[in-house]
Amino acid sequence: MEKLKLLLLIFFLSLSINSWAQKTEISGVILDEKGMPLPAANVLESGTSNNVVTDFDGKFKMNVSNKNAVLIASYLGFDEQRIKLDGSKTNYTIKLTSGSTNLEQVVVVGYGKGSRKNLTTAVASIKGDQLNRGVISDVGQMLQGKVSGLNVSTSGDPTKQSSVVLRGVSTLNSSQGPFYVVDGIPGVDISVIASDDILTIDVLKDAAATAIYGNRAANGVIMVTTKKGSKDRTQITYSNYFGIENVSRQLNMMDSNQLRAFTAKNNLSFAPENDKGANTDWQKAILRNSGAQSSSHNLSLSGGGEHGNYFASVTAVNKEGVLLSSDFSRIIARLAIEQFAFDDHLKIGINVTNSNSKYTNVPQRNTALLQSVSHLPVSPVTNPDGSYFENFIQTTYFNPVALINHGDDDTKTNNFVGSITAELKLPYGFSYNLNLSYQQLNSLHGEFYDSYYQKYNSATFYNNPDPPLTKQLVNFGVNGSALRNSYQNSNTIVESFLNWDKTFGNHKIKAVIGYSWQEDVLGDGFQATATNFPVDNVSYNNLALSNYTSVNGYVVNFGDSKAYQKRRLISQFARLNYNYKDKYLLQGTIRRDGGSVFGTNNQWGYFPSVGGAWRIDKEEFMKNQNVFTDLKLRGSWGQTGNSSGFNAYTSQIISGSLGTFYYNGQQIGAYGPNQAANPDLKWEKTATANLGVDFTILKGRVSGSVDVYEKKTTDMIFNYAVNPVLVPVGTIVANGGNMSNRGVEASLIINAIKTKNFSWSTTLNGSTNKNEITKLRNPLFIGGDSIRRVQPDGGGQTGSTLQIFKEGKPLGQFFTLQYAGKNANGVSQYVAKDGSLTTNPAIGTDYHYAGSAQPKFLLGWDNNFTYKNFDLNIFFRGVFGNKIFNATRADLFRPSTAMTTNILVDAQNESPNDLNAYKYSTRFIEDGSYIRLDNLTLGYNFGKVGKYIKKIRIYETVNNLFVITKYTGIDPEVEQGGTAPGVDSNNFYPKTRTFLFGLNVIF
C-alpha cells in the first residue's frame, strides 16, 4: 500500500513538469476597476508553477514558456482573470473586477453546488482565510462570531470542544450541535480537519437548505470544503505559529492578611491544623509557572496536470493548558487525489485523512478547581519536609496541587476517514455520483490515582461534575486505583445520486435524486477497574499487578452496560430547482428516512421543504436605477428531524442489575427491567419558516442580508417520569414536548476605503433569538408542566435547584429564591410565595422566575486594514442580554465558614451571623453581557523572495486582549450549550490571553 501511494505521488508530480523550449519576457500592471494598482497580486502562467507577485505599484515582469501562453491574474476579493497572450505584445494592462465576487461565489449545499445569486435558502459562507486564527483546535472556535445566529461558547480547557448552537436550542436532549459534512461525507468528526486545510465553510441555516439531510439536520448543517490541488500550479506551503498563554482573569479571593483581619474582626479563629502561617495563592499554585506554550506546523504539497490533481498535508499541533498536567497534541495527515478519464467525463476522487490526538487531562479537574478557590491561604502547599500539606480531619478539604500531581488522566484517539467518490458525466445534462466512505474512531482512556488518594476516603471526597449532573461520593480504594477502557466507533456510508442540469431557453432546471445507506457501530470495546497495587509508578498501564480480590467489597467496574450500540439509517432523497430568466427561483426537496433507533411503529419519517426567490434587480423597472447591483427576496419552509442524543436501543426494553436483596443470610443480585419499551417512539421534527432579503449596493461596495425565521420543534424526545403502575421502571423515553425559536439575523459587508496604498473593509453580523418551551405536559406523564433541575449542591444548599423546564419559558430559565436584602437584624431575607418576606424560605415553594441564560443579541464585528504590505485584523465579539447564575460566587460567599474555607474579598462586609448570605438566589444572578476584543493580528507580506520563495508573510496575534463586562466571575463566556446553560458552578477552567508569532511561506 505504501509503495502504491508513493507511485501515485510520483505520477501526479510528473504531470506538473513542463519543458520550456523558449523563454519570452513579458511585463505589465494589475489594476482594480478604478484603475488603482493592486500590490501583491498573483500572476501565474497556466499549466506551470511559473508565477510572480506584483510590486507596490501593481507591476510585474516574468518569463513565459511561449508567446501564446495563458496568464491567470488573481487577487483576494476580486474575480480571477485569464489572459491569452497574442504573441505581438510584451506589455499588458490587466484589470480585475470585484463587484460580482460575492454574487458569483459557489456555495456548497447538500449533494451539489450552486451560485449564491440563485439561492432560495439561508446560507452563510466563510472562506478559510476569514476564519478565526490563534491557538485553536476545533471548528467551533474558528467560526465564533463569524456567522449571524451561530452561538459558540468555548472553555479555556484545551481538551474540551466548543459548544455550537445555531438559531437557538431545538431539543431537550443532549444533541444540540449542528451536523457536519466534510467534502460531501456526512457526519464527519470535525477533529480530523486541520484549520490550514479548510477552503470554505458553508452554514446551512433554514430547513429548506438542510432538509436534504432529513433526520440529522434539526440543529443545522455545516458544510466544510477542504483544499484541493490545481492543474495550473504546483505549490508547497508551510505555516506555523508559536504562542504563549496566560490566565486573563482570576477570582479575587482573600489572601492570608485579609482573611486574618476578617476572622479577627468577627471573633473567628483558624484550626491549628490549617493555620501554618502561610500566604498561599492557591489559584496560582495550580498554574504552570511560565505560562502555557503552544505551537502548530502545517506543510502541504499540491499540484496536478491536465487530467488530475493532488493535495497532501501534514499538521502537528501542541497546546498546553494553563493548569498543571493539562495538555493537548494532535497530528493530522491528509491525502486528496482527483483523476479524470474518458475525456474528463469520469472523475475519481480519493480522500484519506488520519488524525491522532492525545489529551492529558487534569486529574479530578473540577474538584481541583473548586479546592483552588476554597482552600485557606494560611495553609501551605507543602510541609517543611517537602510533603504535601493536608488536613484529613476536615472533610472535603484537599490540597489541589496534590490532587493533580498524584493522579493521571489521559485519553488517546485515532480518527480515520477514508472516501472514494466517482462522478460520471452523462448525455443530456445528467451526471451520476457514487460516494463510499468509512470512518473509524479508536479511543484509549486511562485514569490512575495512586496510594496517596487513599487518604481522601476518610475526608469524604465528592466529585464536582458539570451541570446539570449532581455531585457523588467517590472512593479511591486502597494502594492506588486504576481505570482503563478502549472503545471503537465505526461508520460506513454508501450514497448514490443522479444530477440533472439542463437549460431550455429561459428555463433552467437542476435536479437530484438519490439513495443513502448508513450503519454505525458505537462503543465496541471494554472497560475494567482495579485497586490495591504494589507500587505507584505503574499507573494505569498494568491492571494485572493489582490485587483487588483482597479488598473487601470491591467490585470491578466494567463500564456502561449500554455502551455498545448498532444503528442503521436508510434514506431516499430528491431536490428540484427551477430558474426562469435568473429572476424567479423555486426549490423543493423531500427526504424519506428510516432509522433503527425508533420504535417499530414509527421507524420511517418524511422531511419536505420548499423555497422561492425573486431577483428584483433583474426586473425591467430596476434597469435605470443605480443603487442596487443585487436585490433578492426569498422565502422558505421546511421540516427536519433529530435521530441523535439518545441510545440506539432507547425504544426497546432492557434489563439489568437492580442492586441486591437479602435472602437466606446473604446478599443476592437482583435483575430486572431498567428501561421501558416504547414502540411508538418517533422522530423529533423541527419545522422552519424563513423570510430573507439579500442586497448589494453602491456598485458592490456594500452588501448584506436580513433574515427573519420561526423554528418549531414538535414531539421532543425526553426521559419523562410516568406512573409506575403503568410503567414499572417509572420513566420512559418518549415524544412529549414542543419548543419554538424566533429570531432576526443580519449581516453587512462594507468595502469602506480602497486607495493605492490603503484599504479598510468591515463586516458586521448580529442576531436575536427568543426560545420558548411551548409544551411539556402530557396525560401519560406525571409532574405537570414543569421539571425543576440543575442542583450544584454547594455547602448548605442541599435540594436547591437553579433552573426549570416550564411551559411558556425558555430552556435555561432560572427559578430560585428572590433576594430582598437584609432585615433589621442584618440577616438576608427573601420573597415568599405569597409576597411576604421571610428568613426561612422553603426550597422549591418560595421560588420565583429570575431571567434566562439565553442571550438576546449576538454580535460579530470584523475589520481588515491594509497599508502597502502591512495587514491588520481587529475582531470584536459581543453577547448581550443573558443571565448567569454565579453559583461559584454563592459558595464563596459564606462568612460564617471563613475559618475553614476561603471567601471572596467582596464578602468582607458580610456578617458571620447571616447564615442566609450564601443561599442560591437572585443575589447571585448576574448580567452575562460582554464585548471582547477576540483577535488582533498584525502581519507583513514580503511577497516574492529569491528564486524559489513565492511569498512570505509574518504576523503576530493577540487573542482575548480585553473583555468589557459587569460579570464578577472568571469570565462571562460560560457554557451556552447543553440543557443547563448559563451556570457557573465551580467548574471554571480559566480563560487565557494568547500572544503568538506566525509564519506563512509559499514555495
Side-chain angles (χ1 to χ4, degrees), residues 473-484:
L473 190 65
V474 181
N475 186 287
F476 294 100
V478 298
N479 296 325
S481 61
L483 177 149
R484 186 79 158 173

Side-chain angles (χ1 to χ4, degrees), residues 880-902:
F880 307 92
N882 60 306
K883 300 295 183 181
I884 298 175
F885 204 120
N886 196 344
T888 300
R889 181 177 174 83
D891 292 341
L892 298 173
F893 219 78
R894 296 168 56 86
S896 61
T897 63
M899 65 286 195
T900 56
T901 58
N902 202 1

Side-chain angles (χ1 to χ4, degrees), residues 653-899:
I653 187 170
I654 294 180
S655 296
S657 174
L658 298 178
T660 61
F661 66 95
Y662 184 80
Y663 176 75
N664 197 23
Q666 57 182 324
Q667 292 294 125
I668 306 297
Y671 295 87
N674 55 25
Q675 176 178 292
N678 184 0
D680 296 320
L681 185 69
K682 60 184 178 181
W683 316 97
E684 286 184 353
K685 290 186 177 180
T686 299
T688 303
N690 192 97
L691 185 64
V693 60
D694 302 323
F695 61 89
T696 302
I697 59 176
L698 303 179
K699 296 182 179 180
R701 188 174 291 274
V702 179
S703 62
S705 65
V706 179
D707 284 89
V708 180
Y709 65 87
E710 181 176 48
K711 184 169 67 169
K712 293 183 177 181
T713 302
T714 56
D715 296 323
M716 280 191 300
I717 297 173
F718 191 68
N719 191 18
Y720 293 93
V722 294
N723 191 328
V725 175
L726 301 175
V727 180
V729 176
T731 62
I732 189 170
V733 177
N735 306 94
N738 299 340
M739 185 182 290
S740 74
N741 287 275
R742 299 181 180 89
V744 179
E745 299 169 350
S747 63
L748 191 65
I749 303 172
I750 304 173
N751 296 308
I753 300 173
K754 192 172 186 180
T755 65
K756 178 180 179 180
N757 293 323
F758 178 75
S759 70
W760 170 40
S761 64
T762 184
T763 301
L764 274 167
N765 75 78
S767 60
T768 66
N769 183 77
K770 182 179 180 181
N771 173 270
E772 181 182 342
I773 300 172
T774 55
K775 177 187 175 185
L776 201 60
R777 194 190 306 266
N778 190 293
L780 296 178
F781 308 147
I782 59 177
D785 64 349
S786 61
I787 303 172
R788 272 201 308 129
R789 57 198 313 279
V790 189
Q791 185 175 325
D793 267 349
Q797 310 278 11
T798 302
S800 298
T801 55
L802 308 184
Q803 292 185 346
I804 188 171
F805 288 162
K806 172 72 175 180
E807 288 184 4
K809 301 293 182 180
L811 187 147
Q813 172 67 52
F814 292 117
F815 187 60
T816 186
L817 298 174
Q818 183 175 327
Y819 181 68
K822 300 179 184 294
N823 63 13
N825 298 320
V827 177
S828 296
Q829 57 188 349
Y830 304 90
V831 178
K833 183 180 180 180
D834 60 4
S836 63
L837 300 182
T838 177
T839 57
N840 188 30
I843 299 300
T845 302
D846 291 325
Y847 276 16
H848 299 265
Y849 299 110
S852 167
Q854 301 281 349
K856 295 180 180 178
F857 185 67
L858 302 174
L859 173 70
W861 183 24
D862 199 13
N863 294 273
N864 289 285
F865 302 88
T866 64
Y867 176 71
K868 294 186 176 180
N869 281 14
F870 287 95
D871 59 84
L872 175 66
N873 174 262
I874 303 175
F875 177 58
F876 292 91
R877 180 169 53 86
V879 176
F880 307 92
N882 60 306
K883 300 295 183 181
I884 298 175
F885 204 120
N886 196 344
T888 300
R889 181 177 174 83
D891 292 341
L892 298 173
F893 219 78
R894 296 168 56 86
S896 61
T897 63
M899 65 286 195

